Amino acid sequence: MTYEKLVRPVLFRLGGGDAEAVHERTLRWLSRVPAGRAPSPPGARRTVFGIDFPNAVGLAAGMDKDGRALRAWPRLGFGFVEVGTVTWHPQPGNDRPRLFRFPADEAIVNRMGFNNAGARALSARLAALGPLPVPLGISLGKSKVTPLTGAVEDYVSSFRQLYDQGAYFAVNVSSPNTPGLRDLQDKAHLSALLGALRAENPAGRPVLVKVAPDLTDTALGELLDVCLSHGVAGLIATNTTIGRPGVDTAEAGGLSGRPLAPRALEVVRFVAKESGLPVIGVGGITTPDDVTRMLDAGASLVQLYTGLIYHGPRLVKRAVQATRERT
């Protein structure tokens, strides 16, 4: 409880309480951590999508978009790390403020808008850093300046640039913070995108699709049909929600954290059952019991983000232990 009682209150006051300022300062601190990896306990190892993971607990995309603190995450105990969402064109994202904490609900609302330095800058950083001691996932998104008609080439350009550096690639068509992006979840758009990525994938890198929690079962079923027809390796469920389940706020953006957990579980259960594909479960994981529920719903791996902010690095260790108990 040291983090919750002592560290978190200090962190949340930094920068006058500006959540993004704290995020940036934390990444700067973590970027100074030397390379290394915390040992995973016996029985924690998993093989999913043909990739060997030291443990089943990963860092979700969005925490370290540009890979600035990549040496730190394995040291905190993560078995894999997902960077991004990265776009082909560098972009500043939406206007600030754009990141908001709701501690009583253990929730966050963000409307960051894929702020990142672009695929070429990420590629250069990864080349300079060298191989990580854990698998690296790369989340790909559409540049805001690119119209929907040019979305396929935008994703493909990033995929080509980063192809040799990612263990797997996540196709993010479900963020609520880039205008028109969620339109790419419909059958025609998604089919064109996945077909183009498949044609650019000679080594068969695992490609995953990240889905929104706000889709109906019918829409999810159509999305799964497209994924299966294009040989997608797995799914990530879920992204943030435009709903506000139990959180009293009018701030626009995607909601993550504890209030998302029930819907994230429903989506994981549905997509795992209907597709038979491996699923990375993410959304509302704040306790080891949440990890257990995700695995019981059909997830093969899990990812943390908002839970890490509210409960600190100890949650990683406890989450890994929970996955061992469901081996």
Side-chain angles (χ1 to χ4, degrees):
M1 301 297 289
T2 301
Y3 176 85
E4 288 95 331
K5 290 185 175 180
L6 299 178
V7 178
R8 189 177 73 190
V10 174
L11 283 176
F12 280 18
R13 287 195 297 269
L14 292 175
D18 183 315
E20 188 170 353
V22 176
H23 184 91
E24 287 296 313
R25 189 173 297 189
T26 301
L27 284 179
R28 286 198 297 272
W29 288 337
L30 291 173
S31 70
R32 302 187 184 104
V33 172
R37 178 170 72 84
S40 294
R45 190 170 295 276
R46 297 285 189 280
T47 300
V48 187
F49 332 120
I51 299 171
D52 185 29
F53 295 88
N55 67 64
V57 180
L59 181 74
M63 179 68 79
D64 192 3
K65 291 183 174 70
D66 291 314
R68 292 160 54 191
L70 278 173
R71 286 188 292 261
W73 307 118
R75 279 194 170 272
L76 294 183
F78 285 106
F80 64 105
V81 178
E82 191 172 311
V83 294
T85 292
V86 62
T87 56
W88 178 239
H89 297 288
Q91 55 188 42
N94 295 324
D95 293 338
R96 298 177 68 163
R98 54 193 181 180
L99 185 64
F100 308 90
R101 293 184 299 249
F102 299 90
D105 303 296
E106 293 188 3
I108 286 175
V109 169
N110 92 83
R111 49 174 181 266
M112 304 298 288
F114 290 167
N115 55 307
N116 74 106
R120 283 164 286 199
L122 177 59
S123 180
R125 175 171 277 125
L126 294 176
L129 183 64
L132 291 180
V134 299
L136 177 70
I138 301 177
S139 176
L140 306 177
K142 182 186 80 67
S143 306
K144 187 175 182 179
V145 298
T146 300
L148 207 58
T149 53
V152 169
E153 184 55 34
D154 199 79
Y155 279 89
V156 168
S157 296
S158 297
F159 189 55
R160 287 193 197 112
Q161 179 70 48
L162 293 158
Y163 188 76
D164 291 329
Q165 296 167 304
Y168 73 83
F169 290 85
V171 180
N172 186 347
V173 288
S174 50
S175 169
N177 298 318
T178 295
L181 185 80
R182 286 189 168 192
D183 292 345
L184 294 171
Q185 292 179 117
D186 75 37
K187 195 169 186 177
H189 282 124
L190 185 60
S191 184
L193 174 55
L194 293 179
L197 292 173
R198 191 174 187 179
E200 294 285 340
N201 192 5
R205 294 272 191 274
V207 172
L208 287 63
V209 172
K210 188 167 188 174
V211 302
D214 307 309
L215 294 175
T216 64
D217 285 355
T218 299
L220 277 171
E222 291 178 353
L223 180 148
L224 294 179
D225 287 343
V226 175
C227 290
L228 290 169
S229 68
H230 286 282
V232 164
L235 300 153
I236 303 177
T238 64
N239 213 317
T240 58
T241 178
I242 57 174
R244 295 292 180 267
V247 181
D248 185 16
T249 178
E251 292 291 353
L255 175 78
S256 62
R258 182 161 48 84
L260 178 56
R263 179 56 184 161
L265 278 174
E266 289 176 355
V267 176
V268 167
R269 189 174 293 111
F270 181 89
V271 299
K273 179 182 177 182
E274 296 298 319
S275 72
L277 293 172
V279 178
I280 299 178
V282 55
I285 297 176
T286 58
T287 70
D289 285 344
D290 293 326
V291 174
T292 300
R293 283 188 281 268
M294 273 290 186
L295 299 175
D296 289 346
S300 300
L301 305 167
V302 298
Q303 289 178 327
L304 308 179
Y305 185 156
T306 303
L308 181 66
I309 291 169
Y310 283 107
H311 295 285
R314 185 167 176 264
L315 177 60
V316 184
K317 182 177 181 180
R318 297 176 72 208
V320 171
Q321 180 61 37
T323 67
R324 292 178 65 210
E325 294 168 359
R326 278 296 188 274
T327 301

